[in-house]
Amino acid sequence: LFWVGCAATSDPRNQKIARSMAAILKQAGLSFAVLGEEERCTGDPARRMGHEYLFQMQAEMNVETLGGYEFDRILTICPHCYNTFVKDYPDYGGDYTVIHHTELILELLQAGRIELKEPIQGQAAYHDSCYLGRHNRIFDAPRRILDLIPGLKTVEMDRSREFGMCCGAGGGMMWVEEETGKRVNDHRMAQAAAALAGGNNGQGSLVASACPFCLTMLEDALSPQEVDIVDRDIAELVAQAMGLDVS
């Protein structure tokens, strides 16, 4: 079951992640389906912002909906959805095998079901999503995928893995504007720019992410900067390296 998630459902930019992942799944010959209009928010933002009643409503309705279908695993491109399914839903009878898209992509690569043949020239700094990295200890899969992309050199930010820094959207902050000091996402993008400021002087530089919230925040931080850096989800990079058309 491919759980698309709110961000990739409603935001045109994040829809590209979902389309890339669907193209990868089709190329690999996997059997998958989406819930379509039956899918609703997992309730993660509500719980993190303190609206426990709304979260419980969402969780109970989702568990009831999922109970009407048969599937082996839930695939999600959002670490927030991943964390909620894995850690919160068992309390509501939702015991599922959940896999993040970076884990599945690496699994497909190692099994030889997909191949990365098209080079992506440049260098990439990987940003660890809080809910994927520090909360669920998924650090290696995204990095191994990037290492397998021909032509792509990877660099690490000073704050990475267990010491990674939030993009600024966690805990419901996606919908709250910061009013004092420098914005968190601006801090994080400055760290990425510093890590990328070596060999090619910013030419062909990109920030690789694996969370739609992170992608939104990091791209927002790029907007006012006159630097040649782009932000891409790992699914987008893999689809490109596979030569897939996901336009």
Side-chain angles (χ1 to χ4, degrees), residues 177-198:
E177 188 62 44
E178 297 169 66
E179 297 179 353
T180 61
K182 190 173 183 179
R183 299 169 70 201
V184 175
N185 56 336
D186 291 335
H187 276 295
R188 189 55 169 160
M189 183 51 69
Q191 294 169 8
L196 292 165

Side-chain angles (χ1 to χ4, degrees), residues 6 135 160:
C6 299
H135 287 298
S160 61

Side-chain angles (χ1 to χ4, degrees), residues 228-247:
D228 185 17
I229 301 176
V230 296
D231 185 18
R232 294 289 183 272
D233 188 270
I234 286 180
E236 296 179 285
L237 295 172
V238 168
Q240 180 181 343
M242 291 173 63
L244 301 178
D245 182 8
V246 295
S247 58

